Amino acid sequence: MFSLLLGILYALAPTVCASLSHIQRATVGSELATGSATAYSMNVTNCPGYALGSLQESDIGLTAQLTLAGPTCNAYGLDISYLSIEVTYQSQSTLHVKIYDTANQQFTIPESVIERPAAPTTSYTGSSDLVFNYDAMPFAFWITRRSDPDAMPLFDTRTSSLPPTPIQPFNASDPSTAFDSFSLVFEDQYLQVASALPYGTNIYGLGEVIASSGFRRDIGTDGGVGTIQTHWNRDVADPIDQNMYGSHPIYLEHRYNATTGKASSSGVLLLGAAGSDIFLQTPAGSKVSLIEYRLIGGILDFYFFSGPTDAEVIDQYGSIIGYPMWQPAWGFGFHLCRWGYRNVSDDTENVAQMRAAGIPLEVQWNDIDLYHSYRDFTIDPVTFPGDELRAFIQELFLDIPVVDVGIAVTVNSTDVYDPFTRGVEEDVWIKNPDGSLYMGQVWPGYTVFPDWFSENILSVWTEGLQNWSDMGVEFSGIWLDMNEASSFCSDSCGTGANFSALAPLSVVGIVVPGYPECYNDTIWGPSGNMTINGTSTNSCAPGSTTMAVVEKRGAGAGGQQGVDLNSPPYAIHNAIGSLYRNTLATNATHYGGIAELDVHNLFGLMQGKTTHLAVQSVLPGKRPFLISRSTFPSAGKWTGHWLGDNYSKWQYMYLNIQGVLQFQIYQIPMVGADTCGFNGNTDEELCNRWMQLSAFMPFYRNHNMYDALPQEPYRWPSVANASRIAIAARYSLLPYWYTLFANASTAGFPPVRALFYEFPDEPELFTVDRQWLVGSDILVTPVLTPGATTVDGIFPGRGSVVWRDWYTHAVVNATSGGNTTLDAPIGHINVHIRDNSVLLLHQEPAYTIYETQQGPYALLVSLNAAGTAFGTAYVDDGISFPPGPSRSLTFQAAEGTLTIESMGEFAIQQKLETITVLGVQKPAQVTLDGPVQGWTWDEATEALVVSSVSVDLNGQVTLAWK
């Protein structure tokens, strides 16, 4: 949050920091470029590569030594002469290749931060589908499939497989976009390795990013210009084609063979925290595409995943970094927040209005308005008195407050702020190189920052949360914001400063500009209504292009003047320039002498992990619910994610989809956008459509900017109606959502899927990111443009799949392999059910998740042309941690019979009341473990409906029709 204001606030930094002398700055770490006696060549052309020797094979892989194969080139650092390589066949489908400095001086992510699997006890060297191949001189390696040894390797670092170098810059204004050599480079401040890829292959992942190319990354073919994906976490309001809140150096390749008409998928993870550039490019005249990694530290720690399906790649990745946390059932409800609920009365009124409008509200959130002087773990005694807040939360049941990352410094001897002083006592704050406290600036003024490597940070963090809860903030979950980490100055600007001279920042008088495309507030005023006095407020001409044009960014830091190329010597393309701008100085020091430069990208992950463990202590026996802005591999074990400070624009509603699809790859499935948009003002039509869209995303929250046009769904009757309809569908589908997330937590399978995951051999689906699948069986086709009353969508399967309307159960007359135009009046989102599916549903969606769960179940069976269907459901109490007793249900239909099998220790109290089977010819007889009288059949939908059956789901049941 607050990214849009950061540019304004950052302008204050020179004034804030002016009190520091140059000598003080050098001491406390604002002078990041310390200089070096070494003259770097700044070019990799003459880098010699490495030679392999001392090879030793074992039952699980091999080890060897790599020695620099010629004179040092010292391109952007000092060449490291001796490396070690370890190759481990981790499983049938996962291969681990680790190249590191033999002296172990380079930073490696500790097991305490990301726990990795132990070495295998079974040998897979002869059976793994992945095979490690190598050349000894110069050293290069390539990964092939045992099942398809003649195919192009999945990863291939041989220079003979890559285009000839040198290759001129693909961005003429940025010399760093040249490829001078593809030799392996391993220096203390610069690492480089490249691999050939099939020409124009399909690459997904490598985020976090909002890519102008869409979910499929631009690889430099088909008119594209290629990609530079920078991994350096930063606080910024949802930019296009730039680095942003999180870093996820994992990609999924969906490789299609046009000759055979078949596709297979694989994945590559480079598990490192160093700042980096990752290039995807196809040089002019090249017959192959390529990926090149450029890192400013660390080691080369690769994991390769064989798939061969997309979902299996994602599962295999999760088996390395950890599967997602178990979600409480209430987390799937509708959440409501805004920056600007100024007091408890605002919260109470908001909840009352939602209830009066009949729009289900599960969780009320509070932003920094809650705080006293913007200080974490406090409440304003006037606007949010503890007793009133406690009473409000206990009546609503669920509340989530925000926790910002900067902890205020006490301004004088009479200032009492226990979280800060306890942290000083326990030595848990990040330091300057001289051992003094590192002090940046955030909302409360000068702040310190938690050192997540500190031995005492968990106890201090837990104490802060427990005390906060005892004050009246009886939270059910926690919202982690600004944890890249964000700072309004770019050094330790509080060191030596007068703390009392810097007041907490103020937002009084803020004016929020901007409305969605096609709404002109200078003509129609600030209401955002779709019609005023019966006249449409849509200002766009019919058929005109309404979305903002998405443009590639410029040269970036690598080609900008004023970027310090000596610290580090290679300047990654951090879109804001210097690595320390709007964040912590890169020589800020963590426990054990760890430099911020090496661990910057881990900050949000480590806060999420610490907070998760702390919440377990504060709320024992209950599943934590966390949403974090900054993430890194394995963050999904501890937290969910929201897509950051987006905009109230139609373009950003569309971009919402690729963001959710990305985070399924990253094993952070509980993800969603700020519905109706955060920055700027929304309008009625956009909010109507977005409330519908988000109802079919995992995390469903409406949130907006301070003093922007209010956008709670009750504000417009049409939005209220659309919300009621969409939320009813969402709550009906809760057992399905819950089962998908149980599968994610136990096996890593993505709950939300791109269409080609399920239909991998249909190339027309490879770029589709305006539709998505919930699981394998629910297809969502939203309206993404203003003024539309129809929407085009593709129905996968090329005519082999029967798709039925969610609302009417009617079969869609779909175009095979192309778009079908669907009616989409305002208030309606198109949702379709795949054949061969069985969905367990809540029959009576209610106001809250708990009330919904107390009602009966329904079963919806969608038969395919062969008359078969299959489905599963997972049921438990939805809250216990660790998960307690559960029950697994299996539904299978064939040859006029539906069987329900039930296994587990959890006792399901609610009955199955209605069974609907679609695709049935009119039966003469229906039995449900005996004759059934209460059934009907509808000719138009071929729907057999068996009602009022009161089936016990704790045992086996058989329904038959003939």
Side-chain angles (χ1 to χ4, degrees), residues 140-141 155-159 161-163 179 181-185 191-197 279 290-294 300 302:
F141 71 93
F155 198 84
D156 189 351
T157 69
R158 293 172 293 183
T159 55
S161 300
L162 289 152
F179 297 104
S181 169
F182 290 124
S183 296
L184 173 64
V185 180
L191 290 77
Q192 175 185 297
V193 65
S195 168
L197 294 170
F279 290 75
L290 65 89
I291 182 170
E292 182 173 78
Y293 298 85
R294 301 178 184 177
L300 298 174
F302 283 105

Side-chain angles (χ1 to χ4, degrees), residues 64-66 80-85 100-105 186:
Q65 298 299 308
L66 300 177
I80 297 177
S81 299
Y82 302 104
L83 306 177
S84 298
I85 179 171
Y100 59 97
D101 59 308
T102 303
N104 280 312
Q105 294 301 300
F186 201 118

Side-chain angles (χ1 to χ4, degrees), residues 132-153:
F132 177 83
N133 311 271
Y134 66 90
D135 283 338
M137 179 63 189
F139 169 72
F141 71 93
W142 62 102
I143 309 298
T144 55
R145 284 191 192 275
R146 192 181 305 272
S147 58
D148 194 5
D150 297 327
M152 183 173 178

Side-chain angles (χ1 to χ4, degrees), residues 107-110 113 232-233 272-275 430 451-453 484-485 584 586 588-591 593-606 632:
F107 179 79
T108 303
I109 298 173
V113 178
W232 187 258
N233 297 352
I430 293 173
D451 182 358
W452 308 112
F453 289 93
E484 291 74 28
L584 307 182
T586 49
T589 306
H590 296 259
Y591 178 81
I594 299 172
E596 169 68 10
L597 179 65
D598 286 325
V599 298
H600 171 82
N601 288 337
L602 298 176
F603 195 100
L605 160 65
M606 295 184 72
F632 190 78

Side-chain angles (χ1 to χ4, degrees), residues 307-491:
T309 70
D310 303 285
E312 286 172 324
V313 171
I314 296 169
D315 162 34
Q316 291 153 11
Y317 171 55
S319 71
I320 296 298
I321 54 97
Y323 293 143
M325 62 186 284
W326 284 85
Q327 296 293 336
W330 58 260
F332 295 97
F334 175 61
H335 303 242
L336 189 57
C337 182
R338 79 163 296 161
W339 180 20
Y341 291 140
R342 296 172 173 84
N343 50 51
V344 176
S345 296
D346 280 359
D347 280 342
T348 303
E349 175 64 17
N350 188 57
V351 171
Q353 292 282 5
M354 289 291 289
R355 175 70 77 166
I359 306 170
L361 173 61
E362 189 73 14
V363 191
Q364 177 72 27
W365 293 47
N366 280 108
D367 213 316
I368 58 173
D369 317 274
L370 176 70
Y371 293 159
H372 180 55
S373 298
Y374 295 133
R375 292 182 171 188
D376 277 358
F377 308 128
T378 67
I379 52 177
D380 190 300
V382 176
T383 56
F384 289 92
D387 290 343
E388 290 184 26
L389 187 60
R390 180 182 290 108
F392 165 75
I393 292 171
Q394 290 178 351
E395 180 178 354
L396 180 65
F397 179 64
L398 296 169
D399 181 81
I400 294 178
V402 68
V403 174
D404 278 350
V405 75
I407 302 296
V409 174
T410 52
V411 300
N412 54 46
S413 59
T414 63
D415 186 9
V416 177
Y417 181 44
D418 190 61
F420 170 70
T421 54
R422 288 288 295 130
V424 171
E425 293 167 359
E426 297 297 325
D427 193 21
V428 302
W429 308 132
I430 293 173
K431 305 287 184 60
N432 289 305
D434 67 357
S436 62
L437 292 180
Y438 183 96
M439 297 184 189
Q441 181 199 356
V442 196
W443 290 99
Y446 294 118
T447 60
V448 291
F449 296 87
D451 182 358
W452 308 112
F453 289 93
S454 168
E455 294 180 326
N456 299 323
I457 187 60
L458 177 57
S459 63
V460 171
W461 205 246
T462 302
E463 182 179 320
L465 287 168
Q466 182 65 66
N467 290 342
W468 206 23
S469 180
D470 293 343
M471 290 177 199
V473 189
E474 295 182 350
F475 55 80
S476 303
I478 294 294
W479 170 23
L480 301 175
D481 197 6
M482 302 184 72
N483 54 345
E484 291 74 28
S486 177
S487 177
F488 299 158
C489 67
S490 296
D491 56 17

Side-chain angles (χ1 to χ4, degrees), residues 761-778:
D761 302 328
E762 300 179 20
E764 63 269 22
L765 304 179
F766 297 167
T767 60
V768 172
D769 57 8
R770 302 173 75 86
Q771 297 170 271
W772 68 95
L773 287 162
V774 179
S776 59
D777 300 328
I778 298 293

